[in-house]
Amino acid sequence: MIIDGKKIQTRILHELEEMRSRIAKVPRLGAILVSNNRSSISFLKEKERVANILNIDFILKSLPVSISKRELRYEINNLAKVVDGLIIQLPLPQNLNQNYFTDAIPLSLDVDMLSSRSLGFFLKGRTVLYPPAVSCVLEIFKEYKIDYKNRQIIGIVGRGTLVGKPLVAFFMNEGIDTIVTGVRSVNLSRLLKLCDIIISATGQPHLIKESMLKKKVVCIDFGYSRNSDGKICGDFAPLKSREKLLTPPIGGTGPITVACLYRNLLKKLMK
């Protein structure tokens, strides 16, 4: 069974339109892009599309990949002065330290919840905001009536800042047995066989095969990459079993995560 991310996004956007109606000003979301990556550009187009639906100004600053550390910090500081929320589209070029620049986003503007302070507040339960990937997963559970608290084991494949780390923290705080693994694990298949829910975000095309999974598993795929033929793929290979639940690489977690990002922006403005 395929999870319909666009349907879930539509439901969330209806809720956000009501929130938006209670905010007199036109909110402004600033986005910084330092990449020629097609996936990054595609994600930003979706964020701009949703901003238009919600009557939110979307200010995109596209910068050359050759930009220096000092210049990028200057651009972040300048954009932060004129927006209500600020995001840096990841990944950054390898010569630019990702943590340094996400920490440069003021706490009041960090709708992606990527800075050390935002994540710290989240881990300690001192914020009403969730990282968008966590909210995305919870929205899928809500839509498909998945009682994740009574599942035996949840598997997280990938330890990235956007998806893996916040989800591991969330489930462990909920007291749920969680397995954390990655693409280099020699025990990947054996570990995944233990899991009732698997959430993957490695960007490795078709890393996870159906033979690695137990029956009636829930598969949430944040992976987004292209194979050697240029075709967009997720981390999960196509599944044949109707007993399994899977998000597709297009129209799956992406639209939901974008909607959850804007929920954070509006919540900040309604404080």
Side-chain angles (χ1 to χ4, degrees):
M1 184 176 178
I2 300 299
I3 293 169
D4 189 343
K6 292 183 179 180
K7 177 185 175 184
I8 298 173
Q9 185 196 61
T10 299
R11 171 176 57 77
I12 298 171
L13 291 183
H14 285 318
E15 299 168 6
L16 297 187
E17 285 172 343
E18 194 279 328
M19 291 174 64
R20 173 68 186 86
S21 69
R22 289 182 276 151
I23 300 170
K25 66 179 288 185
V26 177
R28 308 182 86 189
L29 178 67
I32 289 179
L33 174 67
V34 191
S35 173
N36 296 319
N37 183 283
R38 283 192 292 175
S39 297
S40 294
I41 294 169
S42 175
F43 286 137
L44 284 171
K45 286 182 178 178
E46 172 65 6
K47 290 168 185 175
E48 184 174 20
R49 184 187 72 84
V50 172
N52 291 333
I53 292 172
L54 296 173
N55 189 26
I56 292 171
D57 283 346
F58 185 81
I59 304 169
L60 174 60
K61 193 79 173 180
S62 295
L63 302 169
V65 294
S66 59
I67 194 169
S68 69
K69 175 181 176 181
R70 182 178 178 181
E71 290 169 331
L72 180 54
R73 184 62 186 257
Y74 174 82
E75 295 288 352
I76 292 171
N77 292 342
N78 268 1
L79 191 54
K81 295 174 184 177
V82 297
V83 295
D84 302 295
L86 179 59
I87 61 174
I88 298 174
Q89 187 64 44
L90 301 179
L92 290 172
Q94 289 187 346
N95 62 305
L96 297 173
N97 185 288
Q98 175 178 299
N99 292 331
Y100 172 80
F101 291 107
T102 53
D103 280 348
I105 299 174
L107 182 64
S108 61
L109 304 180
D110 188 13
V111 291
D112 245 345
M113 304 286 288
L114 288 177
S115 71
S116 299
R117 292 184 68 193
S118 292
L119 283 172
F121 282 126
F122 168 69
L123 294 177
K124 292 185 177 182
R126 293 177 58 193
T127 176
V128 297
L129 304 182
Y130 281 3
V134 175
S135 293
C136 170
V137 170
L138 293 178
E139 290 292 344
I140 291 171
F141 291 162
K142 177 182 176 181
E143 183 75 19
Y144 290 88
K145 297 179 173 57
I146 298 166
D147 183 8
Y148 69 93
K149 293 185 179 181
N150 289 323
R151 299 280 175 147
Q152 291 183 344
I153 298 176
I154 292 179
I156 309 291
V157 187
R159 303 174 177 87
T161 305
L162 280 169
V163 180
K165 288 181 179 178
L167 281 166
V168 169
F170 173 79
F171 288 122
M172 292 184 72
N173 284 343
E174 292 280 299
I176 298 169
D177 289 337
T178 306
I179 291 174
V180 188
T181 185
V183 295
R184 296 185 182 88
S185 173
V186 296
N187 298 311
L188 183 62
S189 181
R190 181 175 64 83
L191 293 172
L192 294 184
K193 281 280 190 184
L194 302 172
C195 300
D196 300 292
I197 297 172
I198 300 171
I199 304 167
S200 186
T202 68
Q204 298 293 315
H206 296 174
L207 171 71
I208 302 171
K209 310 293 191 292
E210 188 162 16
S211 60
M212 299 177 176
L213 309 174
K214 62 163 47 175
K215 292 182 179 179
K216 298 185 180 180
V217 66
V218 176
C219 305
I220 300 178
D221 194 348
F222 284 90
Y224 188 91
S225 56
R226 294 178 187 271
N227 63 14
S228 57
D229 298 324
K231 182 182 178 181
I232 294 173
C233 300
D235 289 359
F236 290 83
L239 305 181
K240 295 179 181 178
S241 173
R242 292 178 179 269
E243 294 180 318
K244 298 179 176 68
L245 199 59
L246 172 68
T247 56
I250 301 175
T253 55
I256 309 170
T257 304
V258 171
C260 293
L261 170 75
Y262 282 101
R263 177 192 284 153
N264 282 353
L265 174 65
L266 296 179
K267 278 187 174 182
K268 280 183 175 289
L269 289 170
M270 294 179 71
K271 283 185 178 181

